[in-house]
């Protein structure tokens, strides 16, 4: 069983930066691909970023490429999402997710989910 707990969300102004964290249960964490998804009211859940088990490869949605960066620290069982130059359209609930098969770039590979953290970006 994998447990994921997100933190770091909040209300910020357009152009600001924010870092989200996801704390995972220790068992087998280093062998899982990890990712971030987001969902705005009335919208479908959207893949944002993924990272392979070793941290050597990453994948990003076109809408966040160049602004967001995913990273992980396997010693701390934690994955991060550094968000910069935030826009109002980034407003959503952000979810941490884990892919046991290690396929970091495929949204369908993610199986375990956190509870979500709200990010609101105002003008």
């Amino acid at each position: 069983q994998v447990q994921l707990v997100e933190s770091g969300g909040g209300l910020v102004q357009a152009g600001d930066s924010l870092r989200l964290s996801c704390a995972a249960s220790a068992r087998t964490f280093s062998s899982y691909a990890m990712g971030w998804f987001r969902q705005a009211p009335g919208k479908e859940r959207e893949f944002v970023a993924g990272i392979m088990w070793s941290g050597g490869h990453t994948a990003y949605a076109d809408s966040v490429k160049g602004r967001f960066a995913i990273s992980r620290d396997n010693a701390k069982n934690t994955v991060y999402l550094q968000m910069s130059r935030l826009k109002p359209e980034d407003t959503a609930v952000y979810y941490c997710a884990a892919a046991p098969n290690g396929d970091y770039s495929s949204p369908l590979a993610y199986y375990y989910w956190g509870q979500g953290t709200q990010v609101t970006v105002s003008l």
Side-chain angles (χ1 to χ4, degrees):
Q1 180 65 41
V2 175
Q3 297 182 65
L4 306 171
V5 180
E6 303 95 332
S7 62
L11 174 62
V12 298
Q13 189 170 273
D16 284 353
S17 297
L18 201 61
R19 188 178 76 161
L20 306 182
S21 298
C22 173
S25 54
R27 185 179 180 184
T28 68
F29 174 80
S30 62
S31 68
Y32 289 9
M34 299 295 296
W36 290 93
F37 291 71
R38 66 186 182 186
Q39 188 168 25
K43 304 291 185 180
E44 298 294 325
R45 186 172 294 186
E46 174 190 21
F47 174 78
V48 175
I51 186 167
M52 70 176 298
W53 68 271
S54 69
H57 295 278
T58 57
Y60 296 94
D62 288 342
S63 59
V64 307
K65 197 172 297 181
R67 298 190 298 119
F68 290 10
I70 187 171
S71 61
R72 66 191 296 165
D73 186 339
N74 288 346
K76 296 182 178 180
N77 300 317
T78 302
V79 62
Y80 305 94
L81 185 67
Q82 178 65 51
M83 305 182 291
S84 62
R85 304 191 302 281
L86 283 161
K87 305 174 181 179
E89 49 263 47
D90 294 319
T91 296
V93 176
Y94 283 71
Y95 297 91
C96 179
N101 72 358
D103 192 359
Y104 67 96
S105 64
S106 174
L108 297 178
Y110 291 90
Y111 185 83
Y112 299 103
W113 301 87
Q115 82 289 348
T117 186
Q118 177 72 46
V119 173
T120 302
V121 185
S122 64
L123 292 172

